[in-house]
Amino acid sequence: MTSVDEVRYLRTEPSMAFPHGRLLALRGETLHVLAPDGWDRVARTAAGARSITREEAEDWCEREGWNPDLLDAVPY
């Protein structure tokens, strides 16, 4: 069982609008997507998304021009 404070990161499949996919974060039962205004809560459906490590999420942030510190700001 995972801790409520633990965050799992996922990445969606690439699309025309998001060539490197979108970054998702799952904390407990709450799923968030990284959006221009920060983390937005979304329905708990991550169909097609694959689990990635924290390091892969940091790489994604750097490649996309996001501050990797956002990974520490996933809401509850």
Side-chain angles (χ1 to χ4, degrees):
M1 184 168 176
T2 60
S3 165
V4 172
D5 290 337
E6 185 178 336
V7 176
R8 291 182 44 223
Y9 300 99
L10 303 104
R11 195 189 68 188
T12 65
E13 290 293 322
S15 67
M16 188 178 294
F18 301 100
H20 298 112
R22 295 193 74 180
L23 186 63
L24 304 172
L26 181 64
R27 183 187 294 269
E29 296 294 319
T30 307
L31 184 67
H32 295 85
V33 63
L34 189 55
D37 59 346
W39 292 102
D40 285 339
R41 187 174 180 170
V42 294
R44 193 178 187 310
T45 335
R50 71 174 187 87
S51 185
I52 61 173
T53 65
R54 166 74 185 226
E55 291 75 26
E56 289 173 309
E58 289 172 357
D59 291 344
W60 183 95
C61 286
E62 290 173 6
R63 182 176 53 248
E64 295 296 308
W66 294 87
N67 184 339
D69 290 341
L70 287 166
L71 299 178
D72 296 322
V74 178
Y76 288 91

